[in-house]
Amino acid sequence: VESLEFSGGTGDVRLPDGSASERSIISGGVFSLDMKDVELHNLSLSGGTGDIDFTGVMRGSCSVEAGVGDVTLRFSDSADNYSMHLDRGIGSVNAHNADMVVEEHGYAINPHLDAENTVEISMGVGSVELSFSK
């Protein structure tokens, strides 16, 4: 599709594969989100309570905001394709196949890279796991 918009209150959301070529807006209150083998452009993802599990690629300017829950982002491509900033609250942060640097308000991956794909992650309470292909 060109544009994907989803807003929900409570429950589980599964997106087993697909793409949105222009923009993606996903928001929910108390829900778990499971996305596998997706390519989402200009993603705006926000959740109140629940886990977020993403596998695929993000393109353009993307943001992930989570209140309470774990966030797992498995990228099908290299960290060299992204510039990321992570503002975390309470919880652990791990990155695999990427160099993470400490910033004043959190962490970053390739903070000085003029990347076409940017991801801003904001966490409340929960762990963050980031992984990239080599």
Side-chain angles (χ1 to χ4, degrees), residues 71-118:
V71 173
T72 303
L73 305 176
R74 293 178 200 92
F75 293 91
S76 303
D77 53 351
S78 167
D80 295 338
N81 293 321
Y82 299 92
S83 177
M84 294 188 171
H85 295 274
L86 170 68
D87 290 328
R88 74 171 179 103
I90 299 170
S92 63
V93 177
N94 293 302
H96 307 280
N97 294 326
D99 293 326
M100 191 165 42
V101 296
V102 177
E103 292 187 317
E104 184 177 341
H105 298 287
Y107 300 96
I109 295 173
N110 300 323
H112 304 295
L113 180 66
D114 186 23
E116 186 175 319
N117 307 306
T118 60

Side-chain angles (χ1 to χ4, degrees), residues 20-37:
S21 62
E22 290 187 16
R23 70 181 179 140
S24 311
I25 301 170
I26 302 170
S27 64
V30 179
F31 76 124
S32 292
L33 181 59
D34 185 15
M35 297 178 283
K36 300 279 189 236
D37 300 321

Side-chain angles (χ1 to χ4, degrees), residues 9-25:
T10 303
D12 296 330
V13 178
R14 298 186 68 150
L15 182 60
D17 91 41
S19 66
S21 62
E22 290 187 16
R23 70 181 179 140
S24 311
I25 301 170

